[in-house]
Amino acid sequence: MIETPYLLFLGDAPDQLAVKVAQGIKDWRPENSVGQFRMQGCGADLGLKDMTLAEGKAAGAKTLVIGVANRGGMISQAWRDVMVQALQMEYDIASGLHNLLRDEGPLTAAAQTHGGTLHDVRVPSVGYPIGNGVKRSGKRVLAVGTDCSVGKMYTALAMDAEMNKRRMKSTFRATGQTGILITGHGVPLDAVVADFMAGSIEYLTPDNEDDHWDHIEGQGSLFHASYSGVTMALIHGGQPDALILAHEPTRTHMRGLPDYTLPSLETLRDTALPLARVVNPACEVVGISVNTQHFGEDEALSYLEGVEKRMGLPAADPFRQGAGRLVDALDAM
Amino acid sequence: MIETPYLLFLGDAPDQLAVKVAQGIKDWRPENSVGQFRMQGCGADLGLKDMTLAEGKAAGAKTLVIGVANRGGMISQAWRDVMVQALQMEYDIASGLHNLLRDEGPLTAAAQTHGGTLHDVRVPSVGYPIGNGVKRSGKRVLAVGTDCSVGKMYTALAMDAEMNKRRMKSTFRATGQTGILITGHGVPLDAVVADFMAGSIEYLTPDNEDDHWDHIEGQGSLFHASYSGVTMALIHGGQPDALILAHEPTRTHMRGLPDYTLPSLETLRDTALPLARVVNPACEVVGISVNTQHFGEDEALSYLEGVEKRMGLPAADPFRQGAGRLVDALDAM
């Protein structure tokens, strides 16, 4: 559990793309951030109030969140100096960087001296159980993709936000570092040891009220040779009542695998649903989330209409149109 | 790589079941063991020559292999004393116990002093790559099960032994601790971090001669809620040319999951084959391995005949009948 609110560290990010994590926090949990901390040469701006560490502290910030990707696989001296100062001012620090905070001597020393916590959200901090497959109460929805990085996290966050707006009972369940930083907790599934993957997702999505929805952040794809095992564990550990098919229609091959084409939505449906029904025989595919960012408005709408007709399921781009129709489909179950 | 030959440590094993690992080594790699080391009260016997540590050393043993399961989740003082003596006599030690040798102070100290190696085969010693899905040369066969522990390792070892007898090019590829101790190397897949599972199997089964067969040790089951992700990674990382369906017909529910029934062989085939074809479109299901240990001879033969007719594929119990017909099917590909 990462303590909120945050001061968002953008460092010397060269551009907006480098602060994707901070942008996600600002977009989905604006109430979690008091401001942004930028260093000389920073080319990114979230439109939040610029603050020094002292100003952030005065505004109530508990945790300095590293909202920027680093370059060259190391934490620079300049970043480290800021982090040590933050620890001296009794901030905690949270990071999803590959380079762990805990591997930096000056940070662990300062954290120990000042009683701060270093949250490396890329590595599990919990001893997860082995999955037991026992049916849990409450409802769960999982987006499964034709490929990696097609908008599964966005879809889950958008459905959660829509349910919150409707005052439905709903929780976003993060399974990756960005999601964990956005919500302050979750399971870094790609770093969990194989035997405990399904169990970690059972742990993440426990028994709940019958009308409560967990929106489980999807990972990988059943059709992605590198990560399909992670997706499989999510399906069996997550025990979804509903699947959303997620797709990016302009992708010419599987991400990072130039020799692999994407499956059709029909193939994805016919593969994922029987596997989900192993653990939850009542599971249904209820909708399709299409990432139409590379289409113009007309092209996007006509593509969505075509998919909807072809698949007989509501198809929407939650970024373009909101997740209302996907939530309608869940609500109707 | 664990140095052979071994002296097999049976300790104070209460019975034969407790020395399953040592039995596997003796059955499958008899040339790898010079003898057995038993302590007072040992209720197990492999029929190997009983040796002291000194006698084992004189017979050429390089590694003391812990071939017995321990009780109560700890390494006893009596075991530890033997291990320290072994290290002093310049043995290496190899173990698949959950309790790691490296967590025992006296063992790490003795290993350091005498230059010995502690092999904890339950934890990876290699930084595996991320899987890349690139087609590899050579041939690979993987057994996939209707459940865990239905005889997949045995099937792979039996097919490898049969191919060796026929002077075909063949390697058993271990993915679990028993298999690793039997062959001296492999990937402890259940302990690999999620993101690297498929890559670890690509690493384990590299490019090879066109007529060489890798027999990849299967793990878990696509239908086992706890471990299906591991199985999925094996299928996509292993890139099998051939699948063997493995089944134990008297199992009333999935191992450890009392609420889950086993899938039919047809369902297993129809689930596993399309998933395997994602990475290897030429993959075929070529045979069925049935563990008939709970059947009498007549019942076993009639069951196998029925399965063979029903599935249109050779069905055999490699323990009862040898793996000849399964290897015939592979050889015919």
Side-chain angles (χ1 to χ4, degrees):
Chain A
M1 206 69 190
I2 304 168
E3 274 205 90
T4 56
Y6 304 153
L7 178 62
L8 297 179
F9 176 87
L10 308 189
D12 45 8
D15 53 32
Q16 207 66 17
L17 207 64
V19 299
K20 230 176 58 172
V21 168
Q23 185 73 51
I25 297 169
K26 191 221 158 188
D27 288 347
W28 295 107
R29 295 290 183 272
E31 70 277 16
N32 277 1
S33 308
V34 302
Q36 64 187 15
F37 179 97
R38 301 196 292 171
M39 292 162 61
Q40 190 149 24
C42 184
D45 185 357
L46 297 177
L48 293 174
K49 195 168 171 202
D50 282 301
M51 291 185 174
T52 63
L53 292 174
E55 287 165 348
K57 204 73 207 173
K62 306 276 194 220
T63 304
L64 182 71
V65 171
I66 311 307
V68 49
N70 60 341
R71 285 165 294 179
M74 54 174 292
I75 295 175
S76 71
Q77 184 62 46
W79 285 26
R80 197 158 40 221
D81 289 347
V82 174
M83 294 186 208
V84 168
Q85 280 170 39
L87 289 163
Q88 287 165 347
M89 296 169 71
E90 301 191 342
Y91 278 92
D92 291 341
I93 305 183
S95 154
L97 300 177
H98 274 289
N99 316 76
L100 302 186
L101 302 176
R102 70 183 67 168
D103 291 341
E104 303 284 330
L107 298 186
T108 50
Q112 190 150 25
T113 307
H114 301 281
T117 302
L118 302 175
H119 297 279
D120 284 304
V121 304
R122 212 173 258 278
V123 287
S125 55
V126 170
Y128 301 114
I130 299 259
N132 63 25
V134 173
K135 179 77 182 124
R136 306 192 291 289
S137 55
K139 292 191 176 300
R140 287 160 198 86
V141 54
L142 173 69
V144 290
T146 51
D147 192 4
C148 301
S149 310
V150 292
K152 297 185 299 292
M153 181 182 81
Y154 193 100
T155 302
L157 283 161
M159 293 191 302
D160 176 50
E162 176 68 21
M163 284 199 177
N164 285 329
K165 214 164 64 181
R166 297 187 191 184
R167 297 180 184 274
M168 294 170 69
K169 294 170 190 160
S170 169
T171 310
F172 170 74
R173 300 295 189 182
T175 63
Q177 68 270 9
T178 305
I180 294 172
L181 289 173
I182 289 174
T183 56
H185 52 97
V187 167
L189 184 57
D190 61 9
V192 171
V193 162
D195 249 4
F196 303 98
M197 292 186 299
S200 75
I201 303 303
E202 294 183 355
Y203 165 93
L204 181 68
T205 61
D207 279 317
N208 217 317
E209 295 171 81
D210 287 340
D211 57 347
H212 176 277
W213 281 95
D214 273 337
H215 302 268
I216 306 172
E217 181 189 352
Q219 294 292 339
S221 164
L222 286 172
F223 295 86
H224 197 291
S226 316
Y227 307 117
S228 54
V230 178
T231 312
M232 184 75 258
L234 257 179
I235 293 175
H236 280 175
Q239 217 171 74
D241 300 273
L243 296 176
I244 305 280
L245 308 182
H247 186 51
E248 201 281 74
T250 67
R251 207 57 75 82
T252 53
H253 61 75
M254 298 294 283
R255 190 176 164 88
L257 306 179
D259 297 337
Y260 287 81
T261 55
L262 276 69
S264 67
L265 286 164
E266 287 86 346
T267 300
L268 174 61
R269 175 194 64 201
D270 296 344
T271 304
L273 187 58
L275 288 169
R277 285 183 172 167
V278 168
V279 293
N280 188 347
C283 185
E284 297 287 352
V285 175
V286 300
I288 299 163
S289 175
V290 183
N291 177 344
T292 62
Q293 66 175 313
H294 299 300
F295 286 161
E297 184 76 6
D298 288 351
E299 197 180 3
L301 295 180
S302 109
Y303 182 85
L304 287 164
E305 200 183 332
V307 166
E308 181 149 338
K309 225 176 249 171
R310 196 179 102 208
M311 301 294 294
L313 288 168
D317 181 338
F319 184 80
R320 209 180 268 271
Q321 307 167 304
R325 297 188 56 233
L326 299 176
V327 168
D328 289 345
L330 293 173
D331 201 20
M333 283 189 83
Chain B
M1 205 71 189
I2 304 168
E3 273 205 272
T4 55
Y6 305 153
L7 177 62
L8 297 178
F9 176 87
L10 309 189
D12 45 9
D15 53 31
Q16 207 66 18
L17 208 64
V19 300
K20 229 177 57 172
V21 169
Q23 185 74 51
I25 296 169
K26 190 220 159 192
D27 288 349
W28 294 107
R29 294 290 183 276
E31 70 278 16
N32 277 1
S33 308
V34 302
Q36 64 188 15
F37 179 98
R38 302 196 291 171
M39 291 162 62
Q40 192 148 23
C42 184
D45 185 356
L46 296 177
L48 292 174
K49 195 168 171 202
D50 282 302
M51 290 186 177
T52 63
L53 292 175
E55 287 165 347
K57 204 71 205 173
K62 305 277 194 217
T63 304
L64 182 71
V65 170
I66 311 306
V68 50
N70 60 340
R71 285 165 294 180
M74 54 173 293
I75 294 174
S76 71
Q77 184 63 46
W79 285 26
R80 198 158 37 220
D81 289 347
V82 173
M83 293 185 210
V84 168
Q85 280 170 40
L87 289 164
Q88 287 166 346
M89 297 169 70
E90 301 192 342
Y91 278 92
D92 291 340
I93 305 183
S95 154
L97 301 176
H98 274 288
N99 317 77
L100 302 186
L101 302 175
R102 69 184 65 169
D103 291 341
E104 303 283 330
L107 297 187
T108 50
Q112 190 149 26
T113 305
H114 301 281
T117 302
L118 302 175
H119 297 280
D120 284 304
V121 304
R122 211 173 261 277
V123 287
S125 55
V126 171
Y128 300 115
I130 300 257
N132 63 24
V134 174
K135 179 76 182 124
R136 306 192 291 290
S137 54
K139 291 190 176 301
R140 287 160 197 86
V141 54
L142 173 70
V144 290
T146 51
D147 192 3
C148 300
S149 310
V150 292
K152 296 185 298 292
M153 182 182 79
Y154 194 99
T155 302
L157 282 162
M159 293 190 302
D160 175 50
E162 175 68 20
M163 284 199 178
N164 285 330
K165 216 165 63 183
R166 298 187 190 184
R167 299 180 182 274
M168 294 171 69
K169 292 170 192 161
S170 169
T171 310
F172 170 73
R173 300 296 190 181
T175 63
Q177 70 269 9
T178 305
I180 295 172
L181 289 173
I182 289 174
T183 56
H185 53 98
V187 167
L189 183 58
D190 61 9
V192 172
V193 163
D195 249 3
F196 303 97
M197 292 186 298
S200 75
I201 303 303
E202 294 183 354
Y203 165 93
L204 180 68
T205 62
D207 278 317
N208 217 317
E209 295 170 82
D210 286 341
D211 56 348
H212 176 278
W213 281 94
D214 272 337
H215 302 268
I216 307 172
E217 181 188 352
Q219 295 292 340
S221 164
L222 286 172
F223 295 86
H224 197 291
S226 317
Y227 306 117
S228 54
V230 178
T231 312
M232 184 75 257
L234 257 179
I235 293 175
H236 280 175
Q239 217 173 76
D241 300 274
L243 296 176
I244 305 281
L245 308 181
H247 185 52
E248 201 282 74
T250 67
R251 207 59 73 79
T252 54
H253 61 76
M254 297 294 282
R255 189 176 165 87
L257 306 178
D259 297 337
Y260 286 81
T261 55
L262 276 68
S264 67
L265 286 165
E266 287 86 346
T267 300
L268 174 60
R269 175 195 63 201
D270 296 344
T271 304
L273 187 58
L275 289 169
R277 286 184 172 166
V278 168
V279 292
N280 188 347
C283 185
E284 296 288 350
V285 175
V286 300
I288 300 164
S289 174
V290 184
N291 177 343
T292 63
Q293 65 174 316
H294 299 300
F295 287 160
E297 183 75 5
D298 288 351
E299 197 179 3
L301 295 181
S302 107
Y303 182 85
L304 287 165
E305 201 182 332
V307 165
E308 181 148 336
K309 226 176 251 171
R310 196 179 103 209
M311 301 293 293
L313 288 169
D317 181 338
F319 184 80
R320 210 181 267 270
Q321 309 168 302
R325 296 186 60 233
L326 298 177
V327 168
D328 290 345
L330 293 173
D331 201 19
M333 282 189 84

